[in-house]
Amino acid sequence: MLIELHIQNFAIIQSLTLSLKSGLSVFTGETGAGKSIILDALEAVLGGRADTTSIRTGADLALIEASFALSGGVKDRVNAFLEAEGLLEDPDYLSLAREIRKEGRNTARINGRSVSASLQRELGALLVDIHGQSEHLSLLKVRHHLELLDRFAATQELLADYRLDYQKLRTVQGELESLRQSETDAERQKDVLDYQIREIEAAHLQDNEEESLRLERTRLSNAENLSMLAQQSLLLLDENTSESASVTDLLGQVVNALSELTRIDQNTKHLSEQAEVSLSNLSDLALELRDYAESIEFNPQRLDQIEERIDLINRLKRKYGGSLESIIAFQAQALQDLEKIESAGEQIQKLNVIEQELMEVLAEKALLISNQRKAASQIIANNIETQLDELKMTHARFVVDMKMHEHPAGLKISDDLRVDFDASGIDQVEFLVETNPGEGLKPLVKIASGGEVSRFMLALKNVLALADTIPTLVFDEIDQGIGGRIGLMVGEKLWRLSNNHQVLCVTHLPQLAAYGDQHFNVTKLVHDHRTQTEIFELTGETRQNELASMLGPTNQSTLNAANELLESVSQSKGKIKLQG
């Protein structure tokens, strides 16, 4: 629930901090004092629209901060939302903030971290439901009706089970669609795949073949130069000329000299041994170099073969990937695709059987859900009509309109009827109402009278209180078009509603205000030639005075009437508590 709201430099509010409790909190004050501005600020911090026109004149930015205590089911939903976005801090508390700057920059924050306004709005929808005077109310949106009915009917487990099979069906249908499309193009695809597979197979590609070919091409292309360098090295190593001795002979002379040296001085033995090792290594080098020189091949025909092979590999790489690995992977995939095409007919038959089985299971489960909804819809209708009767709408009728739409590819729910379906089942649900006899049932959005809308919304909220999971409900002048007699009923309904929700209500009716567990007076004052809104929590005598002023000019008569009203409401609350 909302536990604190801080507003700074928003419209005519300079600075205001509101501490709220559970139960019913009412806000009273003269028209234009700023009651609706407080709700506008709350809506902004919940991710609603906020622009620079709302900044107090002379200020650079407006700031709204809201703190929430989390409990029950909403705590799990909010924490799951925050964890998914990496915004979870304290699982028991949540803070939202909105900064509106003069230069146009607008910052939304969740737990102190900047987020998009749309993300803040998505989270705000889990926390607070604001029912304004002219806006589209959440319960007037048809897409919410089925969800509310399901929560009231407790179909969650049935729906979860249904949706598992529904997802299986969609997966099977996706595979079928892919196979049928493949089957349509099968012959063309088969010819292409056959050609591609044969082309790659004919190449007989080997791992690391390309590198080996390039090395061999380099040797063949440079055979003459390689032979010349090898012969030159051999000449220096092992061939004497008239001009100089070979390196091997020279090193042999060194070995002989050091051997003589060692006979004289044993301390030089290691030098003699090193020289002998060097001579042996040099002899081995000469042998290997001679073998290499003899292996050098002058083979233009083999060079042409290698060039053709490399060219083939390059062509395949351009067609099937940038490497040998890609070509081989392409071949493997092509073989799988070909096998899939060749077995498509058999696979389609198998999937058709699975699809039919899932359709039958879904039809059975959807009917079970639908029947549970129908039973709940009648209970809702009866309860709402009872509520409307208590709110002096005696002849009003309410109906949960449940329809199914025929569809040839839908679920078969009888021998001669197939109906459309989705992840929510087979029902299309809309709440209909008739406020006056003879007018006929109409969608909620067609209700014209503001007073009727207010009373109807209150009746709906009371009946669906257990199904509605939003913890804080805000009603802006729900008493519009309602007189004093009905005001007591509305107050009682709101107070009953506050047993399951935190309820905030802006009102001009003293009969409704008397039911508040918290009572705030919003007033407009002038300080230093500047208008500003201030708010005061009223208790005891100050509250009695406020109710008296709402009843008429403050005098002993209205003060007595206010006192009697508070006593009457106190007795009414006591009776309700005793009734449980």
Side-chain angles (χ1 to χ4, degrees):
M1 71 172 192
L2 178 63
I3 56 176
E4 185 174 277
L5 179 66
H6 175 71
I7 306 169
Q8 186 175 327
N9 294 327
F10 187 84
I12 60 173
I13 298 175
Q14 182 179 10
S15 182
L16 182 154
T17 299
L18 189 61
S19 296
L20 293 160
K21 301 175 183 176
S22 59
L24 172 61
S25 298
V26 296
F27 298 80
T28 62
E30 296 295 331
T31 300
K35 300 184 297 298
S36 293
I37 292 174
I38 295 173
L39 299 190
D40 290 342
L42 176 59
E43 190 167 10
V45 82
L46 294 170
R49 183 181 176 185
D51 55 47
T52 56
T53 60
S54 59
I55 302 174
R56 181 173 168 81
T57 302
D60 293 327
L61 67 86
L63 172 65
I64 309 106
E65 297 173 307
S67 299
F68 295 84
L70 305 175
S71 62
V74 72
K75 176 179 177 179
D76 296 333
R77 286 188 294 278
V78 169
N79 284 339
F81 179 95
L82 294 174
E83 192 167 12
E85 299 295 335
L87 298 168
L88 182 61
E89 296 289 340
D90 187 333
D92 296 317
Y93 292 94
L94 166 72
S95 67
L96 302 181
R98 193 75 177 270
E99 295 177 5
I100 310 157
R101 297 185 178 273
K102 195 173 183 179
E103 67 270 17
R105 189 160 57 90
N106 199 315
T107 304
R109 299 184 192 279
I110 297 176
N111 285 334
R113 297 172 63 180
S114 296
V115 297
S116 65
S118 61
L119 187 68
Q120 192 179 57
R121 184 163 52 251
E122 188 177 350
L123 177 59
L126 300 175
L127 300 166
V128 181
D129 198 358
I130 299 179
H131 301 271
Q133 300 175 59
S134 58
E135 64 186 330
H136 288 293
L137 308 180
S138 61
L139 286 176
L140 299 186
K141 297 174 183 176
V142 176
R143 66 177 182 274
H144 290 165
H145 295 178
L146 180 58
E147 179 186 348
L148 285 167
L149 176 60
D150 278 331
R151 277 191 259 154
F152 187 87
T155 61
Q156 289 86 348
E157 289 187 9
L158 290 175
L159 268 173
D161 183 46
Y162 168 89
R163 283 170 178 157
L164 287 175
D165 287 325
Y166 178 82
Q167 190 55 50
K168 291 178 185 176
L169 176 66
R170 286 294 177 241
T171 300
V172 168
Q173 290 178 333
E175 292 177 7
L176 274 170
E177 179 64 25
S178 176
L179 284 171
R180 286 167 182 151
Q181 183 62 41
S182 298
E183 193 177 42
T184 302
D185 303 327
E187 288 306 316
R188 179 183 61 82
Q189 290 182 0
K190 186 176 179 181
D191 290 343
V192 171
L193 289 170
D194 276 335
Y195 171 79
Q196 292 171 334
I197 292 168
R198 286 197 305 273
E199 184 178 33
I200 296 172
E201 285 179 344
H204 299 291
L205 299 174
Q206 304 294 324
D207 291 338
N208 301 318
E209 178 185 6
E210 188 176 13
E211 182 181 357
S212 175
L213 287 170
R214 292 185 186 282
L215 288 174
E216 187 178 358
R217 180 178 65 178
T218 300
R219 287 198 301 272
L220 287 171
S221 299
N222 294 276
E224 184 177 350
N225 193 31
L226 292 173
S227 179
M228 181 191 71
L229 291 170
Q231 293 299 333
Q232 183 180 353
S233 299
L234 280 170
L235 182 65
L236 292 170
L237 279 171
D238 212 28
E239 299 290 338
N240 293 316
T241 66
S242 58
E243 298 177 359
S244 64
S246 69
V247 173
T248 305
D249 285 346
L250 290 173
L251 186 56
Q253 295 174 24
V254 172
V255 169
N256 291 333
L258 288 175
S259 178
E260 289 295 323
L261 181 65
T262 301
R263 278 207 317 265
I264 300 171
D265 185 357
Q266 286 295 317
N267 290 331
T268 62
K269 184 178 181 180
H270 67 283
L271 297 176
S272 177
E273 290 174 348
Q274 288 181 31
E276 289 176 357
V277 169
S278 297
L279 179 60
S280 176
N281 288 339
L282 200 60
S283 298
D284 290 343
L285 174 62
L287 287 173
E288 288 185 27
L289 190 57
R290 186 169 284 105
D291 289 341
Y292 173 76
E294 291 174 357
S295 71
I296 295 173
E297 182 181 9
F298 295 88
N299 191 340
Q301 184 179 359
R302 174 59 182 163
L303 181 60
D304 289 342
Q305 292 174 350
I306 290 173
E307 292 289 0
E308 290 176 3
R309 182 67 175 172
I310 291 175
D311 184 57
L312 170 64
I313 291 173
N314 286 334
R315 287 201 311 272
L316 293 175
K317 284 165 63 176
R318 286 193 295 271
K319 291 176 70 173
Y320 304 118
S323 64
L324 282 176
E325 292 78 8
S326 299
I327 299 171
I328 294 169
F330 184 95
Q331 180 187 17
Q333 185 61 51
L335 286 167
Q336 288 182 17
D337 292 343
L338 184 61
E339 183 181 355
K340 185 177 180 182
I341 289 174
E342 291 174 343
S343 64
E346 181 182 347
Q347 186 66 15
I348 285 174
Q349 289 180 356
K350 291 180 180 178
L351 289 176
N352 277 332
V353 172
I354 295 173
E355 180 188 31
Q356 185 58 39
E357 291 174 349
L358 285 170
M359 291 280 281
E360 291 173 2
V361 170
L362 283 172
E364 182 179 344
K365 293 181 178 181
L367 276 173
L368 186 61
I369 293 169
S370 183
N371 290 334
Q372 194 158 323
R373 287 169 176 164
K374 286 175 184 175
S377 68
Q378 189 57 51
I379 296 172
I380 289 177
N382 293 338
N383 289 347
I384 286 178
E385 287 180 359
T386 299
Q387 293 278 333
L388 292 174
D389 185 56
E390 293 174 357
L391 291 168
K392 308 305 178 187
M393 293 178 67
T394 307
H395 300 293
R397 287 196 303 138
F398 175 82
V399 170
V400 178
D401 184 37
M402 292 180 59
K403 293 179 180 177
M404 300 178 190
H405 298 294
E406 290 191 42
H407 195 288
L411 297 180
K412 185 178 180 181
I413 60 173
S414 67
D415 291 338
D416 56 354
L417 179 61
R418 287 185 176 272
V419 297
D420 197 12
F421 67 105
D422 58 20
S424 296
I426 56 178
D427 301 308
Q428 302 294 318
V429 172
E430 183 175 8
F431 295 163
L432 304 179
V433 65
E434 180 185 59
T435 55
N436 296 300
E439 289 184 352
L441 291 163
K442 298 177 183 177
L444 297 185
V445 293
K446 301 295 184 181
I447 301 175
S449 165
E452 290 174 339
V453 169
S454 298
R455 283 181 278 176
F456 187 78
M457 293 304 300
L458 187 56
L460 264 177
K461 278 295 182 182
N462 270 279
V463 172
L464 299 174
L466 295 177
D468 194 343
T469 58
I470 300 175
T472 299
L473 306 177
V474 181
F475 295 92
D476 186 8
E477 298 191 12
I478 194 173
D479 52 15
Q480 181 185 28
I482 293 175
R485 285 188 307 121
I486 302 177
L488 281 170
M489 282 290 185
V490 172
E492 181 187 323
K493 300 293 183 188
L494 285 174
W495 188 77
R496 286 179 182 271
L497 189 58
S498 70
N499 290 327
N500 302 103
H501 303 266
Q502 179 190 41
V503 179
L504 312 182
C505 180
V506 173
T507 181
H508 290 287
L509 278 180
Q511 292 85 355
L512 192 160
Y515 270 92
D517 298 308
Q518 274 187 301
H519 188 157
F520 296 95
N521 174 248
V522 183
T523 185
K524 185 165 60 177
L525 303 174
V526 177
H527 290 298
D528 297 328
H529 308 290
R530 291 293 304 276
T531 302
Q532 64 184 53
T533 291
E534 294 189 3
I535 190 165
F536 304 95
E537 184 172 0
L538 305 178
T539 58
E541 187 176 341
T542 57
R543 187 182 187 197
Q544 184 180 358
N545 289 336
E546 173 68 7
L547 292 174
S549 68
M550 295 173 72
L551 288 164
T554 304
N555 53 42
Q556 193 59 47
S557 177
T558 53
L559 285 169
N560 290 339
N563 188 54
E564 290 175 3
L565 179 59
L566 287 169
E567 289 182 358
S568 174
V569 166
S570 179
Q571 292 174 7
S572 175
K573 287 182 176 180
K575 290 179 182 178
I576 294 171
K577 288 180 179 178
L578 286 174
Q579 293 169 359

